Amino acid sequence: LQTMSGNEDDWLALKPQEPSPSQCCGSGCKPCIYDVYEKELAQWERAKAKQDKSLLMEKKEQSNNSELNPDTFTAFNISSVEQLTEDTYQYKFELPGNSSLRLSLGQHIVLRGMVNGLEVQRAYTPISPGNAEGYFEVLMKCYEAGLMSQYIKTWKKGDMVFWRGPFGGFPYQPNKHGELLMLASGTGLTPMLPILQSITDDEEDETFVTLVGCFRTFDNIYLKPLLQNLARYWNIRIFYVLSQETSLEKLPWSYQENTYTGRLNEDLVKTIINSCRRKPFVLICGSSAFNEDMSRYLKAAGIEENSCFVF
């Protein structure tokens, strides 16, 4: 009888842990961490029923072949850390040889962090082109009280970080839409960049793009050189909406004519839509409050739901 209860304890120790709510990033990943748990639990139940622990061996907790995988976390090495604004950093991760993540446009990957013994997961969209070889880059905003931010702030060059994915994405096709209107708040800019870069890299793609980037102040605008460079293309326009700037006079003159102060409100959304060269298909990415506001303003401006995509 003794061996029987000891055996029970052994099996209990092997039972997969149900994820806590903090581990789900809420981005609708397929598979979600809960899907992975269900799969591992079913595998554990089968193995226990047959009293055969070797059936658990296929369980891959972490993969070390540096291939991104939606089901398991893979370790990647941080090759550089660059501070962009007071609370935003750009991290570069190594990929083996000249391999690439091969993400389709706007796809996100999920980061796993440990904070005070609590596992946290959050979704981020790489800003490097999907076919970048040997590396990928992610833009991250650190919040004062954010759990994941506390973990990210400790990162140094050479640290190992665990990612899984890719997930989601916007099924972009060249020339499918006459004009894309991108409404982005803060780091909501990140899924827009690979789409913009794929349009400017493809000489056959004649899609017009109007990007509206919402930031607190001029100093908070990320990746200014990249955005200024993109705005030079004949088919790309970029506007900025700065909620905490009161006057445009202090801004460099090259920004003055395409920048608004205050918030992106219903009237400004209508003005921008009316200035589009064709009826736009709209991409939205920001906080949930921003996304809800934008969806409401677009509806008021007569843009149907099937002409919008929210990241």
Side-chain angles (χ1 to χ4, degrees), residues 147-172:
L147 271 180
M148 188 62 100
S149 301
Q150 292 170 34
Y151 168 61
I152 292 169
K153 279 179 192 159
T154 66
W155 288 359
K156 306 174 300 301
K157 185 180 168 176
D159 285 353
M160 293 292 250
V161 175
F162 287 89
W163 294 97
R164 75 182 176 100
F167 303 105
F170 169 62
Y172 179 74

